[in-house]
């Protein structure tokens, strides 16, 4: 008899496994948490597959696969975790530095994401045809949208300790924050078109994008301002943390009901509360509790996501065509990133040092939690298997290879560049 997991059961299993692997890493391996959880999740998958090969009656792979299939990823990730991840990321971005690089950030997080989506989508269509998988162009563009957003967490810590100019730090953090929101909007529009099978006109897509993105930004300002005023009127860290939770959960639900972008709304609300709220509405005690609370939320959710992508090896195991496509996709994604950020950087040489900005933005453009969340939220079917497998390989490479080497490389690239020059 098949036992269907409840949402609480699934969450319990993921938290217990994440905590166990996190403890093992902290106690023995001492690797960056995202690297460790992805690596150990993949290793656990290999062990499960190996045990199944030795003892076919165990059916462990089937059990893990059933567990993953029982989780409603679309509901859990798109309508839940993303709101927390984007708000938590926005809290730590310096708005004053963001203003200095606002035009670079705006172009990189909009035109850059669209360009990356088109380049990856076109290249993925060619590669899938070459591998005999024949993924339709609409789904190739969906993959381009989900893999284009980047994760600043791993690289920002390195850059702050490597004498990187503040304007470049702000550009990287701001671009990554807003390309998450923009990427989710583009993903949602393209996914709806792919599922319906109807062609999507450029005009209609642009209209949807503007309504969702601008509507989301406006809602984010409104709910962020309400939260800011509520927090300014009191001094109680427990209630103020509760207010931020209300902003995130209530704001995201309202965005969903209004058919505008919840991710963009949460990014804007997080920026407002993380800057004006922290500066003018909180005591030092509240600021300490609130920032630590959201840092913990961000850490826990990312731990679960990176564990999930590691476990996906069980689902794609043995499907060498899918894994081969993923391997070929890695240089495609890097090339798309290089073109989409390198082209505008050529015009900004007086604002940003090209020799440092280009490699930092390209090799430091790590794929992480957002790409995993979007891939896992796809509707079940053959296209999901192909896109999840490709995402799995790209994120694995990004986390283990790019994430593992970006520190020494940034320090090498900076050379004698000082932090106060820009």
């Amino acid at each position: 008899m098949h036992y269907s997991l409840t949402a609480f059961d699934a969450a319990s299993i993921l938290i217990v496994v994440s905590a166990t692997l996190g403890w093992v890493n902290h106690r023995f391996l001492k690797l960056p948490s995202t690297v460790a959880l992805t690596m150990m999740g993949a290793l656990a998958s290999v062990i499960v597959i190996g045990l199944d090969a030795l003892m076919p009656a165990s059916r462990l792979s089937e059990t893990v696969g059933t567990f993953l299939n029982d989780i409603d990823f679309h509901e859990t990730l798109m309508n839940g975790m993303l709101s927390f991840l984007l708000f938590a990321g926005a809290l730590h971005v310096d708005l004053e530095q963001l203003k200095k690089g606002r035009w670079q950030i705006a172009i990189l997080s909009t035109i850059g994401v669209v360009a990356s989506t088109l380049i990856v989508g076109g290249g993925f269509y060619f590669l899938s045809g070459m591998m005999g998988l024949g993924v339709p162009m609409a789904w190739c563009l969906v993959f381009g949208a989900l893999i284009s957003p980047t994760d600043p967490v791993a690289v920002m810590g390195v850059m702050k300790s490597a004498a990187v100019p503040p304007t470049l730090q702000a550009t990287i953090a701001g671009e990554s924050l807003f390309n998450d929101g923009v990427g989710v909007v583009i993903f949602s529009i393209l996914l709806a078109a792919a599922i319906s099978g109807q062609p999507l006109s450029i005009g209609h897509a642009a209209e949807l994008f503007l309504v969702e993105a601008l509507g989301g930004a406006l809602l984010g300002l409104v709910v962020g301002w309400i939260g800011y005023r509520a927090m300014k009127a009191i001094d109680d860290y427990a209630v103020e943390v509760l207010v931020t939770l209300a902003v995130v959960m209530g704001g995201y639900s309202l965005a969903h009901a209004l058919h505008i972008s919840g991710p963009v709304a949460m990014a804007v609300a997080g920026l407002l509360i993380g800057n004006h709220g922290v500066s003018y509405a909180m005591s030092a005690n509240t600021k300490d509790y609130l920032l630590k609370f959201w840092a913990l939320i961000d850490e826990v959710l990312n731990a679960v996501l990176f564990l999930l992508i590691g476990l996906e090896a069980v689902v794609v195991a043995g499907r060498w065509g899918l894994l081969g496509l993923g391997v070929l996709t890695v240089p495609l994604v890097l090339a798309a990133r290089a073109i989409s950020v390198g082209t505008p950087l050529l015009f900004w040489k007086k604002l940003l040092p090209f020799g440092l900005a280009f490699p930092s933005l390209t090799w430091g453009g790590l794929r992480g939690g957002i790409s995993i969340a979007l891939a896992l939220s796809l509707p079940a079917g053959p296209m999901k298997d192909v896109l999840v497998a490709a995402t799995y390989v790209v994120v694995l490479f990004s986390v283990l290879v790019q994430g593992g080497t970006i520190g020494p490389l940034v320090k090498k690239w900076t050379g004698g560049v000082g932090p106060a020059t820009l």
Side-chain angles (χ1 to χ4, degrees), residues 93-94 97-98 101 105 156 165-175:
V93 177
D94 188 333
Q97 291 297 336
L98 207 63
I105 292 166
M156 283 310 297
T167 304
L168 178 55
Q169 288 187 35
T171 300
I172 292 171
E175 183 254 345

Side-chain angles (χ1 to χ4, degrees), residues 345-361:
L345 282 175
L346 289 172
F347 297 94
W348 299 333
K349 288 183 178 179
K350 293 183 179 180
L351 296 172
L352 297 169
F354 185 85
L356 176 60
F358 177 70
S360 297
L361 281 163

Side-chain angles (χ1 to χ4, degrees), residues 204-274:
H204 183 53
E207 181 184 349
L208 286 174
F209 176 81
L210 287 173
V211 169
E212 287 211 21
L214 294 180
L218 182 60
L219 179 64
L221 283 173
V222 171
V223 297
W225 182 83
I226 292 171
Y228 162 72
R229 295 299 302 179
M231 295 165 74
K232 191 174 182 180
I234 62 172
D235 183 15
D236 185 312
Y237 75 86
V239 177
E240 291 180 69
V241 169
L242 193 59
V243 167
T244 60
L245 282 171
V247 166
V248 173
M249 299 177 76
Y252 203 87
S253 296
L254 184 57
H256 184 67
L258 296 174
H259 304 290
I260 56 180
S261 175
V264 172
M266 290 307 98
V268 172
L271 273 175
L272 197 155
I273 291 177

